Amino acid sequence: MAVTVILPRSLVSLIPGTRRSTEIEAASVAEAIDRLDELTPGLRNRLVDSGPTIRRHINVFVDGEMAA
């Protein structure tokens, strides 16, 4: 399924060449993070802790609703 991912400007500014808005194919948040990391190596490390859990200061929304 095609999804639109919008990254915060503060994150985009940390990795040169990162696009703020990207269309990717992903069926889950984990898959979306995988695709983003393929497009921009190192991005996963900015989004996910070693758990792997999404970092506390990162908010994820799916269909306009905050993901749990």
Side-chain angles (χ1 to χ4, degrees):
M1 143 189 350
V3 296
T4 301
V5 177
I6 302 171
L7 299 171
R9 284 185 175 92
S10 57
L11 180 59
V12 170
S13 68
L14 294 173
I15 304 173
T18 303
R19 295 176 55 193
R20 185 154 195 275
S21 179
T22 305
E23 284 279 327
I24 58 172
E25 291 288 327
S28 67
V29 172
E31 196 173 311
I33 292 171
D34 289 344
R35 297 295 83 73
L36 289 170
D37 197 60
E38 289 170 3
L39 294 171
T40 308
L43 190 57
R44 176 194 323 278
N45 295 334
R46 300 289 182 166
L47 299 171
V48 179
D49 283 327
S50 61
T53 57
I54 295 177
R55 294 179 183 263
R56 286 187 309 151
H57 63 280
I58 301 292
N59 295 316
V60 175
F61 292 84
V62 177
D63 294 329
E65 299 289 324
M66 190 159 184

